[in-house]
Amino acid sequence: MNISSNLLALGQVWFFNLLLIPLLFLIIKRLDWKTLINDKVLQHRFFAATLVLFIIWQVNISISLDVAIHFLGITTLCLMFGWSLALLGALVAQAGFLILGQGQWESFALNYFINAVIPIAFTWQLHLWIESKKPQNPFVFIMGAGFLSCLLSSILVATLAGVMLFLGGQFKFNLGVLDYISYLPLFIFPEAVVNGMFISGFSILHPHWMQAFNDERYFQKPTPGQEVEQGKVPDALNLDAQEMQTDREGKSDSEPLEAEDFDKYRPPEGWRNKALDNKDNDNSLNEKDNKKHD
């Protein structure tokens, strides 16, 4: 969401402008510049994601002359590169509005906090809380850190933007509160679905792209020598038990079962070709006739 400074009070504008200064210092300090400079593949992914984010933010719906709503896409960026790189990429995408002449310097910090800082902070904190539980199922990451965090962060962003417009006192609320709330699912739910789709696709197909995804835990291999216990295998899947049962049924009750019988291979009835059996019988009869003549 992009809000014009004309709808805000002067104190609101300067409050977020002052908050932007320590935030930029934090980004510069915590960002791993060495890895970003040396890793060319990471550079390509990061710049491509930033470009896609910039294009997404250009496609918006204007609800008034000074307010525009657009998809955020910030949850995917946060989980792919971490909070520091996500803040840097969103900063570049937000600066694109100024380069194209679509934004204002006065409201740059406010829009940056609404579009990037708040959803990134919420998404990353929810991700850390989920990781503290050490889940084993990857769908916990996809649905929790991906879909749910995007859904809740979008609601938080919409609520904060509405409060800021209300405190500014310049935006004309032509509808009631319930009417505005009824429009939220039209923007928030598709946002969560699209981000969840991208996160699930990247997590399954390219888990090394997702910095927040612990593929060693979610896709862990069974330990060597780990076998399924015989007692836990259902009888319908236990082939050895079925063969033993067949052998017992084939023997009469009076005949005791010997241990060697279980190791012998018994071909099923009718496994031989009858034509071959007849041929063998004919050969045996010919041999008997030849012995008689001799």
Side-chain angles (χ1 to χ4, degrees), residues 158-192:
T159 303
L160 179 62
V163 171
M164 297 302 297
L165 290 174
F166 178 78
L167 295 177
Q170 301 297 324
F171 184 78
K172 295 180 180 180
F173 291 90
N174 297 324
L175 302 176
V177 177
L178 295 178
D179 294 327
Y180 282 105
I181 293 177
S182 63
Y183 281 104
L184 291 181
L186 299 177
F187 302 97
I188 294 176
F189 190 75
E191 170 85 16

Side-chain angles (χ1 to χ4, degrees), residues 74-231:
I74 206 69
T75 302
T76 304
L77 190 71
C78 178
L79 297 179
M80 282 187 66
F81 302 102
W83 66 269
S84 56
L85 267 179
L87 287 175
L88 179 62
L91 183 67
V92 175
Q94 190 67 41
F97 286 94
L98 299 177
I99 298 175
L100 297 179
Q102 299 178 1
Q104 297 175 327
W105 284 103
E106 296 83 1
S107 61
F108 175 82
L110 172 64
N111 292 324
Y112 178 59
F113 271 86
I114 292 177
N115 293 327
V117 178
I118 294 174
I120 287 175
F122 182 87
T123 299
W124 195 252
Q125 288 300 320
L126 183 59
H127 158 66
L128 293 179
W129 179 79
I130 293 175
E131 287 298 307
S132 65
K133 306 301 180 181
K134 299 187 183 302
Q136 303 294 329
N137 195 329
F139 287 99
V140 176
F141 173 82
I142 295 172
M143 298 301 297
F147 179 82
L148 183 61
S149 66
C150 182
L151 184 68
L152 297 179
S153 62
S154 299
I155 295 175
L156 183 61
V157 166
T159 303
L160 179 62
V163 171
M164 297 302 297
L165 290 174
F166 178 78
L167 295 177
Q170 301 297 324
F171 184 78
K172 295 180 180 180
F173 291 90
N174 297 324
L175 302 176
V177 177
L178 295 178
D179 294 327
Y180 282 105
I181 293 177
S182 63
Y183 281 104
L184 291 181
L186 299 177
F187 302 97
I188 294 176
F189 190 75
E191 170 85 16
V193 170
V194 171
N195 278 269
M197 291 173 58
F198 277 103
I199 291 171
S200 62
F202 290 148
S203 300
I204 301 301
L205 300 178
H206 303 284
H208 59 283
W209 288 8
M210 305 294 294
Q211 182 177 350
F213 187 76
N214 191 347
D215 56 338
E216 293 182 357
R217 186 175 74 247
Y218 288 115
F219 296 150
Q220 59 182 345
K221 297 180 180 180
T223 58
Q226 183 180 5
E227 298 177 354
V228 180
E229 297 182 5
Q230 185 72 17

